[in-house]
Amino acid sequence: MSKRTDVESPRYKWVALSNTTLGILISTINSSIVLISLPAIFKGIHLDPLGRGNVSYLLWMIMGFLVVSAVLVVMLGRLGDMYGRVKIYNLGFVVFTIASILLSLDPFHGAHGAMWLIVGRIVQGIGGSMLFANSTAILTDAFPAEKRGMALGINNVAAVAGSFLGLVIGGVLSEVDWRLVFWVSVPIGIVGTIWSYLSLHETGQRHRGSLDIPGNLTFGIGLTAILVAITYGIQPYGGHTMGWTNPWVLGALIGGVAVLVLFCWIETQVADPMFAMSLFKVRPFWAGNLAGLLSSVARGGMQFMLIIWLQGIWLPLHGYSYESTPLWAGIYMLPLTVGFLIAGPLSGVLSDKFGARLFATGGMVLVALTFVGFLLIPANFDYWVFAAILLVNGLASGLFAAPNVSAIMNSVPARQRGAASGMRGTFFNAGSSLSIGVFFSLMIAGLAAKLPTTMTNGLAAHGVSAEAAKAAGAFPPVGSLFASFLGYNPIQTVLDQLQAAGLHLGNPDIETLTGKSFFPQLMSDPFHHGLVVVFASAAVMCMLAALASWVAGGKYYHADEPVVGEVAANVALPEEE
């Protein structure tokens, strides 16, 4: 059977859907699988991530994959438009698989072992970007407009659910061996590579043009500078709890914004821009991407805050050792994934019939309400209440996700689907990266108002000398957050740091201080104060995303779409391209 016949076969669209869903799933699982596995990884390479000078290794282990994904997806989507979306997508499977093998074989320990993993994660991110940038465009080519919501819904469910599933998978595998966190991607990558090369064919339009070198350089430099600045902005600097006064951080932020402004100007001047600025004249495109960016920031921040909440407070109070909290945090967050898996595909099917506006807007409003719900429960909550809010959050996120992607991709011309898919991916991945800086900064600001006094008084009341207790209260709150996040006992970490600084501890009640209840009880009030700041901000973002989704409209198809029946009345006018 010829390739052309294969493509025209009714089965081909299902082959494209299943393969691209596998590609998206493996990419997004690996965006979060490391988060929950960091304690085992650092123990495996014999490196203390909270030691002096080692925090950068911790941050880049998290951020390297996300930064490269945010920066490269537009360029790789544009290359897909030029040279073939399937060709770039297939190469992504190869790069991703090779990087996974190299990560699994890390031969070093200490700082060298960390650098091997960081570089490997960056290469893995390049492969993941190839998959992410072109999968949506491949699906959009394979499915007719009036059936596309369901397909994009399943694909997008894989994208978001993968980030949640990665937490559970990483927690389980890292309990056995940290290298399994990377090995698990190898057989999936090999199968996906062979399958994609044998089954996927080019069906979309190619737009032969020149690669926008000035645009790619300015975009990459500008966005990288901003994301790197955010990475270092949450680290202490010069006696401050955060690094936002660091001249290098400020310079990178201001310089990055200036370079991105230059990039926007360049894109209006070149014949074949990587970032098709004309697409922002199309209302569903710009409004849908704005909603997607805001929801991505809110979702990423929620993920980090809930992990810290579970690992630092709730799980220890309920008898779990700090070492076991990463695994159980992933398990206790499963209702979030379940809700998303239920609502995601269903909303895609329904949005094909009724349009995107109701589902995308309603989903974001419900997500905002769940953030309010998190604020209303105590730090030591009843799990069934927490699980119910998580489930509703997952259902609401699923209602939003597929209609949002479908509205964006249906509104662009066929020859620009790769670029549009890459642009959407940039907003999605940039939101995940921004969420780390934004929400950690908000939480640290909230903690800084109460934690120093609470820490000083709590330690002094249990035998720590006044000098040492005061010094502990002056430690940046980010240290306690990272310790909780990594499954370390935060108070034991503080005591070790005090001793390393040469301070006399007095006669502390070590058993009580390092027990399972002291830190969670100490942290509950300051942490909840920080949560008010964080989740109130997230709720506002979600309401703005809901407004953008309403503005984006319902059914909307680009003028070159072969639509049928009632949807023909909703075709985009040529002047809106």
Side-chain angles (χ1 to χ4, degrees), residues 99 149 186 211 224 245 304 338 345 349 368 374 385 390 392 405 418 446 481 490 554:
V186 175
L211 186 63
T224 300
T245 57
F304 277 97
V338 171
V349 174
F374 284 127
V385 177
L390 274 183
V392 174
V405 179
L481 287 180

Side-chain angles (χ1 to χ4, degrees), residues 38 42 47-63 118 231-232 234-236 478-479 482-483 486 497:
L38 285 172
F42 279 112
L47 181 70
D48 177 9
L50 299 179
R52 181 178 292 274
N54 291 343
V55 174
S56 292
Y57 295 124
L58 165 65
L59 289 173
W60 278 106
M61 201 82 77
I62 299 171
M63 293 289 289
I118 289 168
T231 301
Y232 287 96
I234 61 177
Q235 297 188 51
V478 69
F482 281 155
L486 290 167
Q497 290 173 338

Side-chain angles (χ1 to χ4, degrees), residues 442-452 477-478 480-481 523 526-530:
L442 290 173
M443 174 55 75
I444 292 167
L447 287 176
K450 289 195 171 187
L451 186 60
V478 69
S480 297
L481 287 180
M523 190 75 163
F527 185 79
H528 195 269
H529 182 74

Side-chain angles (χ1 to χ4, degrees), residues 4 6-17 20 76-89 133-149 151-152 155 200-207 405-406 408-422 557-558 560-562:
R4 184 61 188 165
D6 286 343
V7 169
E8 291 177 343
S9 166
R11 296 176 51 200
Y12 178 74
K13 59 181 179 289
W14 303 112
V15 171
L17 174 60
T20 56
L76 294 168
R78 179 78 179 91
L79 289 173
D81 285 338
M82 293 171 60
Y83 301 109
R85 292 152 194 165
V86 170
K87 184 179 296 185
I88 303 299
Y89 176 87
N134 291 282
S135 62
T136 304
I138 290 171
L139 272 188
T140 308
D141 290 336
F143 280 81
E146 63 274 13
K147 300 291 185 181
R148 197 170 290 150
L152 293 173
N155 204 244
L200 295 181
H201 313 304
E202 301 290 354
T203 63
Q205 299 180 21
R206 292 192 193 183
H207 176 57
V405 179
S406 181
I408 292 170
M409 294 304 297
N410 282 340
S411 68
V412 302
R415 67 184 181 85
Q416 290 183 311
R417 283 174 184 159
S421 177
Y557 298 89
H558 194 271
D560 62 4
E561 284 283 10

Side-chain angles (χ1 to χ4, degrees), residues 116-396:
W116 178 285
L117 294 177
I118 289 168
V119 173
R121 286 284 288 169
I122 289 173
V123 176
Q124 195 180 49
I126 294 172
S129 298
M130 293 178 175
L131 297 171
F132 201 95
N134 291 282
S135 62
T136 304
I138 290 171
L139 272 188
T140 308
D141 290 336
F143 280 81
E146 63 274 13
K147 300 291 185 181
R148 197 170 290 150
M150 176 274 300
L152 293 173
I154 293 174
N155 204 244
N156 203 52
V157 163
V160 180
S163 64
F164 299 139
L165 289 170
L167 300 177
V168 180
I169 295 171
V172 171
L173 294 179
S174 62
E175 286 287 301
V176 181
D177 190 316
W178 69 270
R179 293 181 189 271
L180 291 178
V181 172
F182 303 112
W183 274 119
V184 70
S185 299
V186 175
I188 300 173
I190 292 172
V191 170
T193 300
I194 296 172
W195 184 22
S196 64
Y197 271 101
L198 291 177
S199 65
L200 295 181
H201 313 304
E202 301 290 354
T203 63
Q205 299 180 21
R206 292 192 193 183
H207 176 57
R208 290 289 185 181
S210 58
L211 186 63
D212 176 17
I213 301 297
N216 278 281
L217 287 176
T218 50
F219 180 78
I221 292 171
L223 187 57
T224 300
I226 291 173
L227 295 179
V228 169
I230 289 172
T231 301
Y232 287 96
I234 61 177
Q235 297 188 51
Y237 171 77
H240 299 282
T241 56
M242 289 180 284
W244 298 114
T245 57
N246 185 332
W248 290 104
V249 170
L250 291 173
L253 282 174
I254 296 169
V257 170
V259 173
L260 287 181
V261 170
L262 175 61
F263 161 75
C264 292
W265 178 80
I266 289 172
E267 296 305 275
T268 64
Q269 305 299 311
V270 297
D272 293 300
M274 65 167 285
F275 220 93
M277 303 301 287
S278 61
L279 291 178
F280 288 104
K281 297 178 182 178
V282 180
R283 179 161 44 89
F285 184 82
W286 69 259
N289 275 304
L290 176 59
L293 173 65
L294 291 168
S295 69
S296 181
V297 174
R299 181 175 56 250
M302 177 195 70
Q303 190 178 66
F304 277 97
M305 292 306 108
L306 293 185
I307 290 173
I308 292 171
W309 192 350
L310 288 169
Q311 293 185 193
I313 297 176
W314 194 84
L315 286 167
L317 283 177
H318 289 260
Y320 294 88
S321 66
Y322 282 98
E323 293 76 16
S324 68
T325 56
L327 168 63
W328 287 102
I331 293 173
Y332 277 112
M333 286 179 65
L334 273 175
L336 188 67
T337 305
V338 171
F340 197 91
L341 291 174
I342 292 171
L346 183 61
S347 69
V349 174
L350 292 175
S351 67
D352 282 335
K353 185 174 182 180
F354 299 107
R357 173 181 281 169
L358 179 63
F359 301 100
T361 304
M364 278 295 99
V365 171
L366 276 177
V367 172
L369 292 176
T370 62
F371 285 128
V372 176
F374 284 127
L375 294 179
L376 296 178
I377 61 177
N380 188 17
F381 47 78
D382 290 328
Y383 179 71
W384 72 267
V385 177
F386 183 79
I389 298 173
L390 274 183
L391 180 64
V392 174
N393 186 284
L395 290 168

